[in-house]
Amino acid sequence: MKLIGTRILIVGMVWVALGSLPLVRSKALSVSQNDSLPAGAIALVGGPVSVGSGSTRVALEPVAESTIKQITLGARIGTLARGRHIYLVVRDLQVVGQPGVLFRLYLDLPSGAKPIRTDPHYVGALNFYNAAEPGRFDANEKNPMFVSYNITRVLRNLRAQKLLTDQTTLTIIPSGTPAIQSDPRIGRIEIVEQ
């Protein structure tokens, strides 16, 4: 495999091609057996989210914090403390068979937009290479693998260009046509601050 000018992030046995984004070393985000939220959770989609041959757009719901008033992601990035980062975390990837394509992720992409990879909304590419196939995990056990993307720079750029919306959305677009009956699904999508 030849990847010129591409950096690879290895997270929990999943390889993610990040293009020209800087290499990110991800910290493990612990989720307990009762599926509680990780510390620093900002927003989430409880899933599952099915992705296929067309684009999929999901709204991330803010996580209620008992002591802090809910604020938009744009306001949060504006007050982010030095040394802190915001991550998009994709968990519990499942397939019936390998889709054979990458899925490109975009934050707050306007509805109906036809983005290119250099679009300021672009987060990265997701693959299902090591996703769980039926029967791989016990019915009560979640797939422990996850993929995380440091979206701090993306959020700052979108905020500077006034492209962030009050309702955070994630658009997932396949790079080609997924294999028939591959049925790729994402169990949970989170945005966390660490």
Side-chain angles (χ1 to χ4, degrees):
M1 177 166 68
K2 194 171 189 178
L3 297 170
I4 297 173
T6 299
R7 297 182 187 254
I8 301 293
L9 168 64
I10 302 173
V11 181
M13 300 300 291
V14 176
W15 293 38
V16 179
L18 294 176
S20 61
L21 293 177
L23 184 62
V24 177
R25 291 204 175 126
S26 176
K27 298 178 183 176
L29 299 172
S30 61
V31 173
S32 69
Q33 292 296 74
N34 68 1
D35 209 25
S36 65
L37 293 172
I42 298 170
L44 70 94
V45 174
V49 175
S50 292
V51 293
S53 59
S55 68
T56 303
R57 190 168 195 241
V58 294
L60 286 99
E61 297 301 324
V63 173
E65 299 179 47
S66 59
T67 58
I68 300 173
K69 179 184 172 193
Q70 288 182 357
I71 58 173
T72 65
L73 201 50
R76 188 171 214 128
I77 194 69
T79 60
L80 190 65
R82 186 179 186 97
R84 304 283 293 173
H85 300 278
I86 297 180
Y87 296 89
L88 174 70
V89 182
V90 180
R91 297 183 180 278
D92 194 21
L93 301 177
Q94 301 168 15
V95 293
V96 172
Q98 288 300 315
V101 297
L102 296 174
F103 292 86
R104 294 194 173 100
L105 308 176
Y106 299 88
L107 271 177
D108 281 354
L109 186 68
S111 183
K114 302 282 186 222
I116 58 173
R117 196 159 161 243
T118 57
D119 190 286
H121 298 271
Y122 180 72
V123 170
L126 173 67
N127 71 55
F128 285 79
Y129 169 70
N130 211 9
E133 294 178 1
R136 184 166 172 195
F137 292 96
D138 183 297
N140 296 324
E141 182 182 13
K142 290 285 187 189
N143 179 346
M145 294 178 282
F146 65 89
V147 182
S148 69
Y149 305 85
N150 185 338
I151 59 172
T152 310
R153 187 180 316 176
V154 172
L155 289 172
R156 285 189 175 133
N157 289 339
L158 291 174
R159 182 174 184 259
Q161 296 176 46
K162 298 185 183 336
L163 296 174
L164 285 176
T165 61
D166 289 343
Q167 173 62 64
T168 302
T169 60
L170 180 69
T171 303
I172 306 163
I173 303 174
S175 62
T177 303
I180 297 171
Q181 298 179 345
S182 58
D183 193 24
R185 291 178 312 279
I186 300 168
R188 188 154 128 179
I189 302 168
E190 303 162 347
I191 295 181
V192 298
E193 178 184 331
Q194 290 188 335

